[in-house]
Amino acid sequence: MKLLLDTCTFLWIAQDSSALSPRAREVFADPANEVYLSVVSVWEIAVKHALGRLTLPQTPDRYLPQLRERHGIESLALDEESVMQIGKLPGHHRDPFDRMLVCQALAHGLTLLTPDPFISRYPVRTAW
């Protein structure tokens, strides 16, 4: 399975948070799965950190690549095919970062690892 991590899921993995469901831990830990973090999530984390709404132990440019490498998570670039999906989405969700993650999952056939019930309303595969 190819997984795209929701931003909160990535942060919870980094913190080994109890907010992760047992199923999410299992799916993430399965070595047969390919796991991706979107640059959209990196952007979201950087914005929230800059606004003082997210505390990190280091600046995002140092912390995020280290976490990805430590956990074997690949980076997923934002491409034109993904962006073009935005016009096809119903208006279930107003968060632009989440909507773009849905677009990337749709464009690349990824399963979105997310606890967000709004995201599961889109025609995208999710796991939690």
Side-chain angles (χ1 to χ4, degrees):
M1 181 179 340
K2 293 182 179 183
L3 299 172
L4 178 59
L5 301 179
D6 191 354
T7 307
C8 65
T9 303
F10 172 72
L11 292 171
W12 292 342
I13 287 167
Q15 300 164 355
D16 193 27
S17 173
S18 62
L20 285 171
S21 72
R23 173 78 174 127
R25 284 181 194 278
E26 176 186 322
V27 170
F28 174 75
D30 186 338
N33 292 334
E34 296 175 33
V35 182
Y36 297 91
L37 179 70
S38 172
V39 297
V40 172
S41 291
V42 173
W43 178 19
E44 180 179 14
I45 291 167
V47 166
K48 288 182 178 180
H49 182 264
L51 294 173
R53 293 179 26 208
L54 178 62
T55 303
L56 300 173
Q58 296 176 306
T59 59
D61 63 313
R62 302 188 101 204
Y63 185 61
L64 300 180
Q66 290 172 5
L67 284 177
R68 279 194 321 92
E69 186 176 327
R70 182 180 315 137
H71 293 286
I73 300 169
E74 296 295 322
S75 180
L76 180 65
L78 182 60
D79 61 343
E80 185 175 342
E81 181 184 356
S82 296
V83 172
M84 293 303 179
Q85 297 293 319
I86 199 76
K88 301 175 186 176
L89 291 184
H92 299 315
H93 206 295
R94 293 185 157 227
D95 184 313
F97 297 111
D98 286 348
R99 289 176 60 82
M100 194 50 61
L101 292 178
V102 169
C103 289
Q104 286 184 293
L106 289 169
H108 296 285
L110 305 171
T111 299
L112 200 48
L113 192 58
T114 180
D116 190 329
F118 288 108
I119 289 177
S120 64
R121 294 172 62 191
Y122 288 105
V124 66
R125 285 188 311 271
T126 61
W128 191 251

